[in-house]
Amino acid sequence: MADKYNLVVIGAGPGGYVAAIRASQLGLKTAIVEREYLGGVCLNWGCIPSKALLYVTELKRTIEHAGRLGLNADNIKIDVEKLKKHKNDTIKRLTGGVKILLEKAGVDIINGAASFISKNEIEVRDGETKSKIESENFIIATGSSPFDLPTIRTNGKNILTARGVIDLPMVPETMGVVGAGPIGTEMATVYNTLGSKVTIIELLDAVLPMLDSDVSSASARALKKQGMEILTSSKVTGSKVKGDKIEVEVETPKGKKNYTFDMVLVAAGMKPNIEGLNLDKIGVKTDKRGFIEADKHTRTSVANIYAIGDVAGGILLAHKASHEGAVAAEVISGLAHSADWKSVPYAVFTDPEIAGVGLTEKEAKEAGKNYKVGKFPYRAIGKAIATLATDGFTKVIADADTDEILGIHVFGPHAGDIIFAGTAIMEFDGTAEDLGHIMAVHPTLSEAMMEAGLSVGKKAIHIIN
């Protein structure tokens, strides 16, 4: 006889485990099914381990530049084995914490891969073991994974996805990075600092092409300054593995170029993890790319089945998945909540760090908005001058008629922390003038956001408007 629940969550990433805990808090008998690791991509080989690596490499670059301040340290080296251990210890601690949280919340943890038998029943396979589970409701939170390109396929050895390179299998002399999105640029930053000669290849015309153009351009300059080669409007047209090397042919605006790399990271995009779920059998609709269609209440085309996080498309961010997980649990429990946020922030942990929320200037223009822009450089901030952070800036985009903020973008140290204030004010329909009136601590880098808000109305104090 199948086990019976009020809710079964499929996938224990940052969306799934939050959904399960919240559901249990609300009194639902809940189980969570995970085919691999608690914590999903984020905790095991994505957000968290990459930040552990980026932190250490950032420290190295900071110390190297600190000679300008009188802090002299010669021949700084990173012990890669100790760095791996730090990364693995971080993963172990956090995934272990997720397990404790689920257990304390009373959630049953079930190992295995789930497949729908009907809208109220799944089969879970764990090796040769099969079991059936019945539930009144299901939340699909299976996430996404990198996809291969036909011209350069991963091999698990020296052509790798982010999951492979995060383990630091080696520090190659030369490294190709296919894709200049957040994953590509972050891992390029890590390996460049470790000593690899890095070449980034991007199909579109900019580094981090989804971001505001001012931020994208600044990031490209910073990456080049750190010694990376960047090829935009370029695509890999062929590749061949020869011994321990990968020969890659690249079509660039200036013609074909041939490269030989010791390792290649393929970070060209993500696909939804829906294989084996048997969604067709129960009538759960997906879009043309395979992402599950879900409404603002996270409900799919089947009334008792919900989808959250990467597998449901949209912006693929762990914090968005977590918030959707809580919403799904609350909707199932009868609370009238929705996942229709006005403001979903993003961050890219390159050097300098990048973060933002809302529309880019290009998106505002394409939407036909009558807008105005305020921009404030870090070189006019005392804390930035004192800490050698003068390359940064904050940009605010506001409606020219109402002054309501449409977007905020930050380029500089601690951008991911600073953007929280911008997210809050946008979520509550704040204006650029409101932002300018929020008092920032002096001296901090957050003063640039306050001044950028003032700059929209040409009221900034520490620059000439």
Side-chain angles (χ1 to χ4, degrees):
M1 181 177 289
D3 292 326
K4 293 183 179 181
Y5 294 91
N6 300 125
L7 172 65
V8 171
V9 181
I10 304 172
Y17 81 74
V18 168
I21 291 170
R22 184 67 184 123
S24 187
Q25 289 174 345
L26 292 167
L28 301 181
K29 183 182 179 184
T30 305
I32 191 164
V33 179
E34 173 54 53
R35 66 180 181 180
E36 199 167 8
Y37 302 116
L38 294 178
V41 169
C42 182
L43 268 63
N44 288 281
W45 55 89
C47 321
I48 297 301
S50 66
K51 302 314 163 285
L53 302 183
L54 283 159
Y55 174 66
V56 175
T57 54
E58 179 189 354
L59 284 176
K60 181 177 186 291
R61 290 190 304 277
T62 300
I63 294 169
E64 288 172 342
H65 295 154
R68 292 169 56 187
L69 303 175
L71 175 61
N72 297 310
D74 298 325
N75 199 26
I76 301 164
K77 293 182 179 179
I78 294 175
D79 185 323
V80 175
E81 291 307 312
K82 284 187 178 179
L83 179 53
K84 283 185 186 180
K85 184 178 185 303
H86 166 63
K87 185 239 333 159
N88 292 335
D89 287 347
T90 301
I91 294 169
K92 185 177 180 180
R93 177 175 178 177
L94 289 172
T95 54
V98 170
K99 185 173 187 290
I100 291 170
L101 288 171
L102 288 166
E103 290 174 342
K104 292 291 186 182
V107 177
D108 289 345
I109 301 170
I110 301 168
N111 299 315
S115 179
F116 281 97
I117 299 170
S118 71
K119 68 176 186 176
N120 290 108
E121 189 173 20
I122 58 172
E123 179 181 82
V124 178
R125 294 190 179 192
D126 184 17
E128 298 300 316
T129 303
K130 297 180 185 179
S131 59
K132 291 183 179 180
I133 301 172
E134 291 182 14
S135 182
E136 296 169 15
N137 301 281
F138 290 92
I139 296 175
I140 302 171
T142 48
S144 64
S145 55
F147 59 71
D148 264 334
L149 296 175
T151 53
I152 183 162
R153 297 192 176 277
T154 55
N155 60 13
K157 181 183 176 185
N158 56 1
I159 305 177
L160 303 167
T161 65
R163 183 170 179 171
V165 299
I166 203 74
D167 283 331
L168 301 176
M170 59 174 171
V171 179
E173 185 176 335
T174 58
M175 180 179 184
V177 176
V178 183
I183 294 172
T185 53
E186 288 183 3
M187 296 314 300
T189 299
V190 168
Y191 276 88
N192 175 72
T193 308
L194 290 174
S196 300
K197 178 176 173 53
V198 176
T199 299
I200 300 174
I201 304 161
E202 170 57 45
L203 180 63
L204 300 180
D205 62 358
V207 167
L208 297 165
M210 73 296 294
L211 303 188
D212 188 85
S213 59
D214 284 345
V215 171
S216 174
S217 297
S219 180
R221 289 193 297 271
L223 295 172
K224 288 176 182 177
K225 188 176 180 181
Q226 292 167 33
M228 298 179 224
E229 180 181 9
I230 298 174
L231 305 174
T232 54
S233 300
S234 302
K235 64 178 179 179
V236 175
T237 54
S239 62
K240 186 181 295 184
V241 176
K242 284 195 173 181
D244 292 332
K245 307 286 186 180
I246 311 110
E247 294 181 354
V248 178
E249 183 182 84
V250 183
E251 183 68 47
T252 78
K254 296 181 179 180
K256 287 187 178 180
K257 288 189 176 184
N258 294 304
Y259 289 85
T260 299
F261 298 116
D262 297 302
M263 188 165 77
V264 173
L265 163 62
V266 179
M270 305 294 284
K271 61 182 179 182
N273 293 330
I274 60 171
E275 288 185 14
L277 287 174
N278 216 10
L279 298 180
D280 290 343
K281 183 172 183 178
I282 57 169
V284 171
K285 293 181 180 179
T286 59
D287 66 19
K288 61 183 179 181
R289 297 181 300 159
F291 291 97
I292 297 173
E293 295 180 356
D295 65 17
K296 66 181 182 180
H297 303 293
T298 73
R299 187 178 283 112
T300 71
S301 54
V302 178
N304 69 314
I305 298 178
Y306 300 73
I308 62 171
D310 286 10
V311 76
I315 305 173
L316 309 186
L317 294 169
H319 48 275
K320 175 174 170 284
S322 295
H323 278 68
E324 288 175 344
V327 165
E330 290 168 1
V331 170
I332 290 167
S333 299
L335 302 178
H337 288 181
S338 78
D340 190 19
W341 289 281
K342 179 179 180 181
S343 307
V344 178
Y346 70 84
V348 183
F349 296 87
T350 47
D351 183 14
E353 201 167 294
I354 298 165
V357 60
L359 299 180
T360 65
E361 189 171 351
K362 180 181 177 183
E363 289 169 340
K365 188 176 296 183
E366 289 175 345
K369 300 286 186 181
N370 181 21
Y371 67 90
K372 51 189 176 180
V373 173
K375 193 173 177 181
F376 195 86
Y378 276 23
R379 65 177 180 273
I381 294 291
K383 177 69 177 289
I385 295 169
T387 58
L388 306 181
T390 54
D391 287 342
F393 63 86
T394 296
K395 179 176 180 178
V396 174
I397 303 162
D399 188 290
D401 301 316
T402 66
D403 199 41
E404 183 177 346
I405 296 175
L406 304 175
I408 302 175
H409 305 278
V410 182
F411 179 82
H414 313 296
D417 299 305
I418 292 169
I419 199 60
F420 182 74
T423 304
I425 198 166
M426 281 191 64
E427 188 65 29
F428 293 103
D429 304 323
T431 64
E433 186 174 0
D434 291 334
L435 181 60
H437 281 287
I438 294 176
M439 196 177 296
V441 171
H442 175 76
T444 64
L445 299 179
S446 61
E447 290 177 271
M449 184 178 290
M450 176 188 71
E451 292 264 22
L454 291 171
S455 180
V456 170
K458 301 190 182 304
K459 299 177 185 177
I461 299 300
H462 292 96
I463 57 169
I464 299 171
N465 291 287

